[in-house]
Amino acid sequence: MARQANREAIMLEAVRADLAARIAAIDVKAPYTCARDLKPDINQIRLIAHRNGLNPAVTVAHFVDSALSRGEHGALVHGWLSVLGDAVACERQDVRACDAFAAACSVRLAS
């Protein structure tokens, strides 16, 4: 039982590392890329997060997609990716954590 839990924790950390690398890659190309060209990468992050139960990251990815749909690009995307990275790293996966990230994103989206 402990072995299984340890294996799952290691796999989840690998997923988080992969998502962090993907976010960093998007951050590097964001200043030179159209918003619509970033959307597939954000969708991939959302799907991976969803499959692995990283609920706050799923929530934030939806907001990032909305921001990109509004045409945010360049340096503005950096802030969104920072919030997404925080959501990926978040240890809590409950509704309250999702709500907290959603509130932060709503404030950012309204700015």
Side-chain angles (χ1 to χ4, degrees):
M1 186 76 160
R3 247 187 213 151
Q4 180 65 22
N6 189 36
R7 189 175 309 140
E8 289 175 7
I10 291 169
M11 288 175 49
L12 186 57
E13 284 308 308
V15 168
R16 283 189 166 122
D18 175 58
L19 292 176
R22 289 171 184 265
I23 292 167
I26 294 168
D27 200 22
V28 167
K29 70 181 183 177
Y32 313 104
T33 306
C34 295
R36 74 175 177 272
D37 294 337
L38 298 175
K39 290 176 67 106
D41 296 329
I42 296 299
N43 190 49
Q44 275 301 111
I45 288 171
R46 184 187 59 75
L47 290 171
I48 293 166
H50 178 73
R51 267 194 306 255
N52 291 280
L54 298 173
N55 300 323
V58 173
T59 298
V60 174
H62 283 292
F63 276 94
V64 174
D65 187 61
S66 294
L68 293 173
S69 293
R70 284 184 7 174
E72 289 193 22
H73 61 283
L76 295 174
V77 176
H78 176 74
W80 282 106
L81 295 174
S82 178
V83 175
L84 183 56
D86 290 344
V88 166
C90 182
E91 291 296 322
R92 291 182 47 201
Q93 302 304 315
D94 58 15
V95 172
R96 290 182 75 189
C98 293
D99 288 347
F101 275 100
C105 289
S106 292
V107 168
R108 186 170 191 82
L109 199 58
S111 303

